[in-house]
Amino acid sequence: MADEEATTRIATVSRPEPPPDRLGGSTAATLLASGIGCAAFGIAVVAAESLQPVKQLFTLSTAVGPLSGKAVVAVVIYLLAWAALFLACRRRTMPFAAVLRVTAVLIGIGVVGTFPPFYGLVAGH
């Protein structure tokens, strides 16, 4: 009897599944935030290689060099983006294809930003 009541209570609290071509907002927020974090890391790499003050600012540990600051900045931006997107999208559904496209573009920005010939070209090395 108690199990039936618990099951009924859970069934009324849980949300319906989104249609197959749409994502739940929290899932979309996680995917988009991961792309934003990747893009932030790529942009941080380009900035650190191009601008000496940024490189010094990102050197949080002399043993690691500016990589320590780049990683910290990317993780902080990921967490902030995830929190903001989660709050904004948690009760919505999002089109899967659009979320996937935007996330792929953001990850591509991150990959290109960490590619040595690219940031060397931008930095003038």
Side-chain angles (χ1 to χ4, degrees), residues 15 23-31 82 85-86 89-92:
R15 295 185 197 150
L23 291 172
S26 59
T27 305
T30 303
L31 286 172
W82 178 81
L85 288 169
F86 176 78
C89 303
R90 65 184 170 191
R91 292 191 172 98
R92 300 179 183 175

Side-chain angles (χ1 to χ4, degrees), residues 43-45 47-62 64-74 77:
I43 292 168
V45 168
E49 293 300 320
S50 302
L51 305 167
Q52 191 61 28
V54 174
K55 190 173 196 170
Q56 291 173 345
L57 182 70
F58 283 168
T59 305
L60 302 177
S61 166
T62 54
V64 179
L67 179 61
S68 57
K70 296 172 200 171
V72 168
V73 165
I77 289 174

